[in-house]
């Protein structure tokens, strides 16, 4: 996001599929994420249904000052990130960096991981970047129109009345 030459990344995500016979355990992947990011803001399990295995969803959410959001915060549940590379991003000036992970188990062995996806978004800075980009493009458009009007005033033919 950003004006040409001033682009910044505000969100990124990746997905990792594990080969047959090389799948890590659900427990080891969850613990590796907690070791890397600390205690999660939210940690929940969801049933996978008839075609996919169950999945564990972890979120680490922070406010714009870098403080982790807790259950007692009014921002709890408001600051999210897509864990999937195909997920859409919502931005809020009230939320800071948010990391989300989804660990999906094999359908036939829920103790093993089939796929893991992890994404992050810098919400407040992303919101600010989008706002600044919109304002920058609007200023460029206004300058283009003013120059076009000024040029037309110099070169336009007088109307025949």
């Amino acid at each position: 996001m950003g004006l040409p030459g001033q682009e910044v990344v505000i969100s990124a995500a990746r997905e990792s599929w594990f080969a047959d016979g090389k799948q890590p355990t659900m427990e080891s992947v969850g613990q590796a994420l907690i070791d890397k990011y600390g205690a999660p803001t939210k940690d929940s399990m969801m049933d996978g249904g008839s075609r996919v295995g169950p999945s564990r969803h972890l979120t680490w959410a922070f406010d714009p000052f870098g403080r982790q959001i807790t259950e007692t915060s009014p921002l709890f549940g408001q600051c999210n990130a897509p864990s999937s590379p195909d997920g859409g991003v919502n931005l809020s000036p009230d939320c800071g960096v948010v990391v989300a992970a989804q660990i999906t188990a094999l359908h036939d062995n829920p103790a093993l991981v089939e796929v893991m996806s992890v994404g992050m978004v810098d919400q407040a800075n992303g919101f600010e970047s989008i706002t600044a980009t919109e304002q920058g493009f609007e200023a460029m458009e206004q300058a283009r129109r003013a120059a076009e009007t000024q040029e037309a005033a110099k070169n336009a033919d007088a109307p025949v009345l």
Side-chain angles (χ1 to χ4, degrees):
M1 177 54 54
L3 293 171
Q6 300 173 356
E7 297 91 353
V8 295
V9 175
I10 58 174
S11 179
R14 72 173 230 200
E15 190 173 80
S16 298
W17 289 79
F18 297 96
D20 287 340
K22 301 285 185 179
Q23 295 99 342
T25 64
M26 290 287 286
E27 180 60 33
S28 69
V29 172
Q31 189 58 52
L33 288 165
I34 291 170
D35 289 347
K36 180 171 183 147
Y37 297 111
T41 303
K42 290 192 286 185
D43 186 349
S44 62
M45 289 292 296
M46 296 188 73
D47 182 26
S50 62
R51 292 188 276 172
V52 296
S55 60
R56 183 176 179 186
H57 298 260
L58 299 110
T59 302
W60 295 265
F62 300 87
D63 70 12
F65 300 104
R67 300 174 299 210
Q68 189 166 15
I69 295 170
T70 63
E71 286 185 42
T72 59
S73 169
L75 293 174
F76 187 77
Q78 302 298 311
C79 301
N80 299 298
S83 58
S84 168
D86 298 326
V89 175
N90 293 313
L91 301 172
S92 167
D94 299 326
C95 301
V97 172
V98 182
V99 176
Q102 179 176 328
I103 311 164
T104 303
L106 288 169
H107 184 261
D108 58 351
N109 186 347
L112 298 178
V113 177
E114 179 176 33
V115 60
M116 174 188 73
S117 57
V118 179
M120 73 74 59
V121 61
D122 187 350
Q123 289 204 21
N125 287 328
F127 187 88
E128 184 178 312
S129 180
I130 286 174
T131 301
T133 300
E134 289 173 342
Q135 290 171 350
F137 280 131
E138 181 61 29
M140 289 167 59
E141 177 63 11
Q142 292 300 325
R144 182 196 65 78
R145 288 180 184 178
E148 188 176 83
T149 301
Q150 191 174 36
E151 186 66 25
K154 285 191 250 177
N155 299 325
D157 292 333
V160 177
L161 302 175

